[in-house]
Every structure is written in structure tokens, then in C-alpha cells.
């Protein structure tokens, strides 16, 4: 099953409102984790189901499925 990965070279939380990852708020299974605003988000591989909602919603195109 494909799972999401965050490209750290494309991801810049400063572009999201108040540093909170936009995709984190939109993941239906809460698979995108961000410890604090401004931190680089990561994918919780135990939750990710490969639905690709995050891929479609990331404004910086920093997430893809592998």
C-alpha cells in the first residue's frame, strides 16, 4: 500500500496559517503530525492509509505517495 511522505525541501510551514500545516488539519485519519507550529510535519506511518488527500491538498506540493 502506498504511503505519504513529506519532501523537506519543498515543505515550509511558514507558508501555512500560523505555521500550522494545512494538510494536518485535512487528513481524514490524522496521519500528518506536527509537534509545534512551524515544525516540519511528518507522516505517522501507523495511521497513513495512502488515500492521497494530503497530496491533493498540500499547497506547496510537498507530499507524495511512495
Amino acid at each position: 500500500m502506498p504511503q505519504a511522505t513529506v519532501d523537506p525541501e519543498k515543505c515550509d510551514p511558514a507558508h501555512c496559517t500560523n505555521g500550522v500545516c494545512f494538510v494536518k488539519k485535512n487528513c481524514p485519519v490524522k496521519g500528518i503530525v506536527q509537534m509545534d507550529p512551524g515544525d516540519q510535519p511528518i507522516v505517522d506511518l501507523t495511521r497513513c492509509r495512502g488515500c492521497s488527500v494530503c497530496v491533493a491538498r498540500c499547497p506547496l506540493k510537498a507530499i507524495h505517495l511512495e
Side-chain angles (χ1 to χ4, degrees), residues 26-37:
N26 288 275
C27 178
V29 295
K30 307 294 185 221
I32 304 292
V33 179
Q34 186 181 31
M35 300 309 285
D36 291 305

Side-chain angles (χ1 to χ4, degrees), residues 4-36:
T5 59
V6 178
D7 182 340
E9 292 187 19
K10 290 183 179 179
C11 180
D12 183 0
H15 287 276
C16 296
T17 305
N18 298 320
V20 177
C21 176
F22 176 76
V23 176
K24 174 188 171 194
K25 298 185 282 185
N26 288 275
C27 178
V29 295
K30 307 294 185 221
I32 304 292
V33 179
Q34 186 181 31
M35 300 309 285
D36 291 305

Side-chain angles (χ1 to χ4, degrees), residues 1-5 43-50 64-66:
M1 172 186 335
Q3 291 188 310
T5 59
V43 178
D44 181 342
L45 298 177
T46 65
R47 291 179 177 249
C48 180
R49 302 290 178 249
H64 60 277
L65 293 182
E66 287 187 356

